[in-house]
Amino acid sequence: MNVVFGDYTLGVHAKDASYIFSYAKGGLESLSKNGTEWISKPVRPLFWRATTCNDRGNGFSYKSSVWMGADLFTECSGISVSVDGHGFCQDEIIAPANNKLIDSHYRNAKSVTIIFEYRVSFSDAARTIISYTVTESGMRTDYYYHGDESLPSVPALGIRFIIPFTLDGYEYEGLKGETYPDRCHAAEGRYSVDGLPVPQYVVPQECGMHIHTKDVILRKGESLLEIKGSDFAFSALPYTALELESAWHHDELPYSEKSVLSLFAAVRGVGGINSWGADVREDCQIDAGRNYELSVVIS
Amino acid sequence: MDSYLSDPSVFQINRMPAHSDHRHKRGFAEKESSFYQDLCGVWDALYTEDIENRERDFYRLDFRSDEFHKLKVPGHAELQGLGKIQYINTQYPWEGIEMLRPPMVPVKTNAVISYVRYFDIDERLRGNRLFIVFEGVEQAMNLYLNGEFIGYSEDSFTSAEFDITNYVRDTGNRLAVEVFKRTKAAYIEDQDFFRFSGIFRPVYIYAKPECHIDDIDIRSTLLPEKQAEEPAHEEKKGFLNKLKSMFSGHKDRKDVKVSASGNGRFSLSLKLSATDSFQLYEVSASLSDAEGNVLYEKRCGADSGIAFDEEDFDVRPYSNKDPYLYTLRLEVLRNDKTVETVEYPVGFRRIEIIDKVIYLNGERLIINGVNRHEWSPYTGRAISLREMEEDISIMKRNYINSVRTCHYPDSIPFYFMCDEAGIYVMAETNLESHGSWQKMGAVEPSWNVPGDDPAWKDIVLDRARSNYETFKNHPSIIFWSLGNESYAGECIREMDAFFKERDPSRLVHYEGVFHRPELKASISDVESRMYASPDEIREYFHQDGSKPFLLCEYMHSMGNSLGGFEDYDALIDEFDGYQGGWIWDFIDQALYTKRADGKEVLRYGGDFSEKPSDYEFSCDGILFADRTEKPGLEEVRYFYERRIR
């Protein structure tokens, strides 16, 4: 693979796929496969799923609202790169240090890893790390969340990819229909979904979750993107969590030509006992003090 | 204002007593009964925002109505451009606008619709005794015909029937109906729903021939298993107790014995009316199975009251799994010529409590239930037969075996559909006074109605009676429910006593007595709760457990919900007395309206600028308002399929 040590970015060019990681924007900026660009905006961690009627009723939305800010605004606090096992700290790859790399053997690599570390404004302890390892066979993506027990419960933890077009649909191996940790007695199988359906809860809210997933293949025309893991959750929707959160009616949701692919390390349940106080079962809540991780291969 | 609107002791004037919901025909072969004349259609309607300024003379023969609005009957006025659409939950709809205490009637928030309709009597009905029926008018109505006052009725959700024989002409009749959006009945119709007004269920006239069956009372019971016939002495004692519990409260049946001649017991009594002597008429009754085999046949001379002898014979039990129906055929004859015929479905089943567990036909009852408001996203609570049929088929395919008619009697055809589908019905009486005892989430019954106030006793008893008399013959009904969230007191205790006295074959349900445990001994056969957590239910069984336990509402399906179902399902295996519950609820209450740009969109509470409102709390269905399934229904189906029997 050809490695480009840019002044702003790190480019990695495999046979079928190209990747650009932005130091400036703090995340994966381009994933191009066979001429199709899959990334619209630099990839960032997510901390929010739109709250449900039950969340609003039991005060979760209020108690955990700081995470909504984090979902919108995180800071990339550190970057490191490793090429075929050789580690570079940030200073060793950005200008002017990169001048020395123009003819180095690192320009031709079998494996390139870039690690982004993110922080939220309200905690020194909470850290999110997203690590991408590119090889000819694809991009392994690892997500780690290191907890801060002083923080309120989180609605969701994971990575959000904004895809610049509306998917034709997707296929996944997992559970039938929309599932959550406390609502997942659905048949296992391989399911195909046309378009990006949004369940019509009258007030737009969290929806479209698929937990216990092994594999997802996104489809746009002839172009496919596969996300493979052992047991992860995902949703593919035309809207971000914040867009869903802000709308009172479906027709107030913005015009969207994008697809929002969210990969989750942890998902909060939806609850059901009542909508005016009962919390989600404790084992289906996300404890902000714990650590969570997610590992998938994107190809 | 007419004084009776605020007088709890006047809830009807000249309304006919409620009776069974059978329909008579001129012969068994008749497809559509020719005794009935439909009056639905487009009526003239004058809308007055405030009751004080209503047009009092509109009923007069010479009052011109051609300039009135046109309103579709059945239909709500608010969904046809007259008056404000309002959704509100527990708060009374005049909250923040008028300060009232029962039985004061609102003025500013009390519109009147003055309907006028001209009609001729169909030739086939002429010359008979004629009655007009309004199956649902929200909330109260004065009826005038040809300039004369006919009567008054309240109770939005039960039929109001009036004798118009002496006022009606063959042609050129002028019907005038004054519909009040609110009367004192508003205090006991505070259901969590959109607040509408108007004639929202069918209106028709029917003819009674010279001799007519006014009321049918069918008693069809599945008797206990025959193997219990000759038990050892000790067992026998237990068995008799079992029988006693089965018929407890019914004086005539204390001597009941297990029959050797069959597992089904059938009895029938009728009330008749005639224009001349009963002696000219005969009545025949027969019961046949689905294959046409006749099991029971009687014939006798007509009389105002007929009680046929009880008989036992072998029957196929009625259940959700096998909703086997027999057909009762009644015929009134004069000189062997048919005067009228009636057909009615009959099912044989037995609901009983043995040792604090409810059994249906000897099997522990498990309720896979759902609460259902009648709802159409286009026409509100004026729903079509097609929508009712769709609801039934959605229930069947999702293993829902029971419906609670929250919180009022449903349209009559729905009960027949439940009979056919084997959907067990909790038939709820039209009563809810939530706003009179719960304020800001706290129990605060300082002005609760009906409470212990004798002035409110008859008005609620009348609702119980209407519910019972109309629907008493439906095999699908296994519970009577006294109403919803009306706290508890002497008036509700009397309602319980009414049902127990009239109908020992079914159980009585009421949740609100939870707030007054000292009344539990005399209100409700079951411990009913709403939204109790699984741990609270365990606590009930560990600390009390004196009655079988049902959740009349659980799994609040508002928005994206229905999580944690397995925790309730587990209770079914933990406690025999835990017998399931009814999910809240079946369908989102949202309405299609047109945006400024003409696009059709679904809107919910608060979207109509109505204040105050409880906003999206109107949408708690397992279905979206357009009857498509919410994703969480997958989970319901999974657990309900496991428990269906």
Side-chain angles (χ1 to χ4, degrees), chain A residues 182-183 185 206 248-249 271-272 275, chain B residues 556 560-561 563-564 604 607 635:
Chain A
D182 55 355
R183 203 184 79 205
H185 292 84
E206 159 57 29
W248 286 108
H249 303 94
S275 306
Chain B
H556 196 258
N560 191 352
S561 184
Y604 50 86
D607 283 341
E635 191 85 349

Side-chain angles (χ1 to χ4, degrees), chain B residues 320 366-370 392-402 423 633-634 636-645:
Chain B
N320 172 263
I366 302 293
I367 293 291
N368 286 350
V370 69
I392 294 279
S393 82
I394 290 167
M395 288 179 198
K396 290 300 277 186
R397 91 173 165 253
N398 289 290
Y399 307 100
I400 291 165
N401 70 1
S402 181
I423 301 287
L633 192 46
E634 185 80 28
V636 175
R637 195 156 47 226
Y638 174 85
F639 285 105
Y640 276 6
E641 182 178 9
R642 297 176 60 194
R643 299 298 183 180
I644 195 97
R645 49 176 76 185

Side-chain angles (χ1 to χ4, degrees), chain B residues 398-443:
Chain B
N398 289 290
Y399 307 100
I400 291 165
N401 70 1
S402 181
V403 66
R404 176 177 179 225
T405 68
C406 65
H407 301 296
Y408 43 81
D410 286 343
S411 302
I412 290 170
F414 185 71
Y415 295 84
F416 287 98
M417 293 178 194
C418 288
D419 291 341
E420 287 219 346
I423 301 287
Y424 303 136
V425 177
M426 173 179 279
E428 195 146 275
T429 306
N430 178 21
L431 173 63
E432 172 154 359
S433 63
H434 204 161
S436 77
W437 62 272
Q438 191 174 44
K439 290 134 200 176
M440 298 280 287
V443 173

Side-chain angles (χ1 to χ4, degrees), chain B residues 259-270:
Chain B
S259 163
S261 51
N263 64 348
R265 175 158 299 172
F266 183 77
S267 71
L268 175 68
S269 43
L270 307 175

